């Protein structure tokens, strides 16, 4: 069966420090991968999505970047965190056949 | 521009009352619409998709292309329906895998 893992689950970082959130999918190949930020009252904001290795679509110009070095690995990064980067980040995947998204457990980032 | 709008942040109904969660969308191509639900302390999960035309947990949703709406309905609300509901749109029918969500509606079913 397919599974999706995100880590770390919780992260507290100082302003100006780098960030790396990792997402890995198991049990499927060539998934479409997504990064969202979830905030109360603002829903799920699509940040990046990827349909293949090295293919990244950016939806919101900001302080973050994404990479897909392997078929089932999706990484969210920042070189220098801002206070406004604090939030709950969700990774998700879909096969492209049914359209259903499967979500990870999420990573809560607090920037101080 | 691609957009999903859920006008209600919170909807409170009594148990046994009908429920309608509103969703409107803006999309130039042929969208695929979904409803997702997040119960307390659980992951976000698919509730239903317009293409299936199915009823899940008593919920139904009909895609109205004329009104660009995809409202979620249930004739008799149950307490276990209390959760956060998100409407979502995928552009995969139009050749893009961009997948966006609305801001969500919290449904509270009162005893």
């Amino acid at each position: 069966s397919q599974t999706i893992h995100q880590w770390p689950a919780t992260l507290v970082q100082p302003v100006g420090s780098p960030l790396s959130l990792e997402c890995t999918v198991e049990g499927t190949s060539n998934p479409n991968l997504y990064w969202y930020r979830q905030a109360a009252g603002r829903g799920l904001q699509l940040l990046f999505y990827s349909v293949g290795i090295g293919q990244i679509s950016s939806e919101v110009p900001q302080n973050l970047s994404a990479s897909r070095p392997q078929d089932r690995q999706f990484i969210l990064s920042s070189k220098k965190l801002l206070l406004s980067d604090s939030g709950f980040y969700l990774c998700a995947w879909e096969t492209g056949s049914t359209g259903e998204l499967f979500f990870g457990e999420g990573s809560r980032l607090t920037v101080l | 521009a691609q957009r999903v709008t859920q006008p209600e942040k919170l909807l409170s109904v009594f148990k046994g009352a009908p429920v309608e969660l509103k969703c409107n969308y803006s999309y130039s191509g042929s969208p695929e619409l979904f409803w997702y639900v997040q119960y307390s302390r659980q992951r976000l999960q698919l509730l239903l998709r317009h293409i299936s035309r199915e009823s899940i947990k008593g919920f139904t949703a009909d895609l109205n292309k004329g009104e660009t709406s995809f409202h979620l309905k249930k004739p008799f609300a149950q307490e276990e329906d209390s959760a956060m509901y998100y409407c979502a749109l995928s552009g995969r029918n139009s050749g893009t895998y961009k997948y966006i969500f609305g801001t969500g509606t919290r449904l509270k079913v009162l005893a």
Side-chain angles (χ1 to χ4, degrees):
Chain A
S1 64
Q2 302 94 346
T3 57
I4 179 170
H5 299 287
Q6 274 184 250
W7 68 92
T10 306
L11 196 59
V12 180
Q13 293 285 102
V15 169
S17 64
L19 170 74
S20 181
L21 299 179
E22 191 162 338
C23 172
T24 301
V25 179
E26 297 176 357
T28 188
S29 59
N30 198 31
N32 296 325
L33 297 171
Y34 300 81
W35 278 111
Y36 292 90
R37 180 162 54 204
Q38 186 179 30
R42 299 179 65 179
L44 273 74
Q45 181 186 31
L46 177 61
L47 302 176
F48 302 94
Y49 66 98
S50 171
V51 299
I53 296 174
Q55 300 178 59
I56 308 295
S57 295
S58 174
E59 288 303 305
V60 182
Q62 57 191 346
N63 191 40
L64 302 170
S65 63
S67 62
R68 186 170 176 173
Q70 300 180 47
D71 182 43
R72 290 169 290 173
Q73 185 184 30
F74 205 24
I75 298 171
L76 184 69
S77 305
S78 173
K79 292 183 179 178
K80 289 186 178 181
L81 284 169
L82 306 172
L83 288 174
S84 57
D85 292 324
S86 293
F88 191 63
Y89 291 84
L90 284 167
C91 181
W93 72 274
E94 61 143 351
T95 63
S97 59
T98 66
E100 179 177 359
L101 276 183
F102 297 91
F103 286 86
E105 311 96 321
S107 298
R108 185 163 299 282
L109 171 66
T110 303
V111 182
L112 302 174
Chain B
Q2 196 170 334
R3 180 176 293 178
V4 175
T5 302
Q6 293 180 252
E8 305 135 328
K9 287 188 176 181
L10 173 65
L11 185 65
S12 296
V13 300
F14 285 101
K15 177 181 173 181
V19 172
E20 183 179 48
L21 301 174
K22 291 184 167 49
C23 173
N24 287 89
Y25 67 91
S26 172
Y27 191 66
S28 57
S30 179
E32 197 164 338
L33 276 295
F34 304 83
W35 276 99
Y36 283 80
V37 61
Q38 190 169 28
Y39 300 103
S40 179
R41 286 184 287 277
Q42 292 188 27
R43 298 189 194 191
L44 199 59
Q45 59 187 287
L46 178 69
L47 180 62
L48 53 79
R49 68 197 87 184
H50 92 264
I51 205 166
S52 302
R53 294 184 156 272
E54 57 197 347
S55 173
I56 303 293
K57 298 183 179 182
F59 285 98
T60 59
D62 290 318
L63 180 60
N64 186 323
K65 292 186 177 180
E67 296 182 0
T68 60
S69 67
F70 188 55
H71 303 326
L72 184 67
K73 300 178 183 178
K74 185 170 182 176
F76 307 103
Q78 303 298 316
E79 288 182 74
E80 55 265 30
D81 296 328
S82 295
M84 194 74 181
Y85 291 80
Y86 293 94
C87 184
L89 180 154
S90 167
R92 67 193 198 111
N93 285 342
S94 302
T96 169
Y97 287 97
K98 184 175 177 178
Y99 211 123
I100 62 169
F101 285 76
T103 50
T105 298
R106 181 167 298 283
L107 175 64
K108 288 189 177 180
V109 181
L110 309 170

